Amino acid sequence: MPKDGSSRRIAQGLSYGAGPRRKLDLYRPRHRGDAPLPVVVFFYGGAWNSGSRTHYGFAARALAALGYLVVVPDYRLLPEIEYPAFLEDCAAAVGWVSDNAASYGGDPERLVLAGHSAGAYNAACLALDPRWLAPTQRAAVVGVIGLSGPYDFYPFDGPISQRVFGQADNPRQTQPIHHVGADAAPKLLITGGGDDLVLPRNSVNLSAALERAGVHSRLRLYPRLGHAGTLLCLSLPLRWMAPVLKDCRAFLADVTNRGMGPGDPSAGEHRAATARQ
């Protein structure tokens, strides 16, 4: 698939833990200034039983071209492991980013977690559920982007959810929506009206829960997109289908604030003004 020429992969197969599935790749713009870049950690989907970071360079290059250091980790999959081991791997990857991003020109104090499908679930869990990230790492997460993510699917009524989560000790606690609090980072939730794999109500329900908690949430529902469409719209040939990349660009610029720290009081005012637009 054609990739954005204004970004490139700068490192491949870096280990964040033991084993062949605990590796990650890094991407950033070809031309950048001296200031550290905000960091996007992108988790791919695949029903928690398939996927490889090598297949998602098109998405990483698209986001990196917007001016970010982008990290794409692999993580262990079923049947090698069970829930919640894949979340533990994703958390370990974020820990690696916190410790090492500065060496590659990134700002570890401005992290955005992103993902598609199962990867969007992983990103939302890490950001919302305090079990997974260390407090300092969680505090550094300034935003989350979820593409076609499952966030509210209990009781488990499908073969995938039953296989992955059916043996959990507390099934309700596997759901990102049950960990929404007032301290949650802002969310951009994008879904397709034609998605019959992960129903749009997942994004709708999570967005509503965030708004009730006073957390800024942007919900984008594109009627003509299916499950894969929200991801494929990041690619050069398919951006005409829906402005998903533009949505991401606006959200990333807002939450990373481009020189405005997450504790700056004007950051909240900027988010509120953007929400009214």
Side-chain angles (χ1 to χ4, degrees):
M1 184 176 288
K3 300 176 180 65
D4 291 74
S6 57
S7 59
R8 63 188 181 94
R9 185 173 60 196
I10 62 168
Q12 182 179 10
L14 301 178
S15 295
Y16 67 86
R21 293 290 306 177
R22 291 174 175 156
K23 296 183 183 298
L24 52 80
D25 295 347
L26 302 179
Y27 300 78
R28 73 182 182 198
R30 289 187 182 276
H31 306 289
R32 63 181 186 89
D34 295 330
L37 300 173
V39 183
V40 179
V41 184
F42 182 87
F43 301 107
Y44 55 77
W48 301 280
N49 65 15
S50 65
S52 169
R53 69 185 190 279
T54 60
H55 297 158
Y56 293 87
F58 75 93
R61 293 266 297 266
L63 295 171
L66 302 179
Y68 300 88
L69 177 68
V70 178
V71 183
V72 184
D74 279 331
Y75 51 93
R76 289 173 298 164
L77 303 168
L78 279 75
E80 176 190 353
I81 50 85
E82 299 288 341
Y83 169 88
F86 50 81
L87 289 176
E88 294 168 353
D89 285 359
C90 292
V94 173
W96 185 95
V97 171
S98 296
D99 293 339
N100 296 279
S103 299
Y104 296 91
D107 181 357
E109 299 299 319
R110 289 186 292 169
L111 301 181
V112 175
L113 306 183
H116 172 255
S117 191
Y121 169 92
N122 297 346
C125 276
L126 265 56
L128 290 170
D129 187 342
R131 290 181 292 175
W132 307 118
L133 296 182
T136 55
Q137 295 166 1
R138 192 164 179 254
V141 176
V142 297
V144 176
I145 298 174
L147 309 178
S148 303
Y151 316 111
D152 182 20
F153 54 95
Y154 179 78
F156 309 131
D157 57 3
I160 295 175
S161 60
Q162 290 172 353
R163 171 67 183 90
V164 179
F165 301 99
Q167 305 304 314
D169 293 336
N170 190 335
R172 287 178 60 85
Q173 292 302 302
T174 67
Q175 303 296 284
I177 196 169
H178 294 311
H179 297 282
V180 170
D183 62 341
K187 307 287 188 295
L188 170 62
L189 305 174
I190 300 176
T191 186
D195 191 341
D196 57 5
L197 181 62
V198 177
L199 299 180
R201 67 174 177 81
N202 283 270
S203 295
V204 172
N205 291 355
L206 180 57
S207 180
L210 290 163
E211 294 291 349
R212 286 194 298 269
V215 178
H216 176 55
S217 172
R218 300 182 191 179
L219 175 66
R220 300 288 187 268
L221 195 159
Y222 291 106
R224 298 178 60 184
L225 295 183
H227 184 65
T230 56
L231 173 68
L232 296 177
C233 281
L234 297 178
S235 68
L236 275 171
L238 298 178
R239 289 176 190 167
W240 60 270
M241 294 173 59
V244 172
L245 187 61
K246 290 183 179 179
D247 294 335
C248 294
R249 177 170 54 205
F251 178 79
L252 288 167
D254 183 15
V255 298
T256 62
N257 293 306
R258 292 307 190 180
M260 193 186 305
D264 190 315
S266 58
E269 296 172 2
H270 179 64
R271 285 194 290 269
T274 303
R276 290 193 294 268
Q277 293 177 359

